[in-house]
Each structure stands twice: as structure tokens, then as C-alpha cells.
Amino acid sequence: MWLRYLFGDWTYNPEALSDADIAVYTQAYAQPGGLHGAFADYSAWRQDLEQDYADVDKRIACPTMALWGVEFSGAKVMDMEKLWDDMASDLKVAPIPLSGHLPHEEQPELVTAALLDFLQP
């Protein structure tokens, strides 16, 4: 029930993930330690922000791709391209339309095409 709520809130189309899709996530997260990585990622936001401030004058030098769902609430309150452009000197952006926080689930063909376009050269 928690995952259905979370994914429904994070997607552009709340029906994007089927019950079978949710079952795969449920099985993975039910494993010992299955939620640890996700919780640790979100609980580390203060440390992440401190590192961003410490590195504010440094830019990522290698080819970098920024990929996001255009309809995700976080992408609507900030200029994602500018955010990443300020951090990377060789940037390719891939805003994925009609998707929220899970563009790989909602628009897998567009995400795959963007990744292949970025990785093939």
C-alpha cells in the first residue's frame, strides 16, 4: 500500500505502474536491507548539500547527462538544466516529457533512447 501511494504520487500518470510492477518493487524492498539504500539516500540530504557548497567552484569535467521527468514537482520549482549546467562542463540534458520522478518507468523508450544517444559515442 505504501509503495502504491508513493509511486502514484511521484508519477505523472498514477496508473503507470501495474500491480505486477509494484509487486516486483515490493519483493525487492522486502529483502533484508532492501529499504536501507533508499532511506540512506534521502536521509543524507544535509551532507549532500554541504558537499555541493564545498564544491561550488568545481565543475564535473567528464561527459555528464542530466535526465529528469518534466512533470516531477522538484523539476517544476527549479530550472534543472541551469542547475546541472552550473555543475558540469560537458553536459547533455534529457528532460523526459509526461513523466514524474520515475521517467524510466513512465517513458522507458524515451529514457533508453536518451541513454543510448549519450553512451554510444
Side-chain angles (χ1 to χ4, degrees):
M1 184 174 7
W2 173 71
L3 285 174
R4 171 59 70 193
Y5 167 77
L6 187 69
F7 291 156
D9 188 54
W10 280 3
T11 53
Y12 172 72
N13 174 7
E15 300 299 319
L17 279 83
S18 69
D19 289 339
D21 296 330
I22 298 293
V24 171
Y25 280 99
T26 300
Q27 182 179 11
Y29 284 135
Q31 300 302 309
L35 288 170
H36 178 76
F39 289 159
D41 180 49
Y42 285 101
S43 67
W45 70 269
R46 286 183 184 91
Q47 182 181 6
D48 187 35
L49 191 59
E50 288 172 12
Q51 292 170 346
D52 286 347
Y53 286 136
D55 293 340
V56 72
D57 293 327
K58 298 177 185 172
R59 294 180 65 140
I60 300 167
C62 67
T64 303
M65 172 178 258
L67 186 149
W68 66 90
V70 172
E71 301 301 328
F72 183 56
S73 58
K76 289 182 171 191
V77 297
M78 65 182 67
D79 183 340
M80 296 296 286
E81 186 168 352
K82 168 119 175 63
L83 172 80
W84 281 99
D85 190 51
D86 288 345
M87 289 193 262
S89 58
D90 184 2
L91 178 68
K92 182 164 189 153
V93 297
I96 304 298
L98 303 177
S99 63
H101 193 53
L102 306 170
H104 58 288
E105 292 285 10
E106 294 189 272
Q107 301 292 339
E109 297 85 9
L110 295 177
V111 170
T112 299
L115 289 171
L116 288 174
D117 184 56
F118 176 71
L119 294 170
Q120 282 181 343

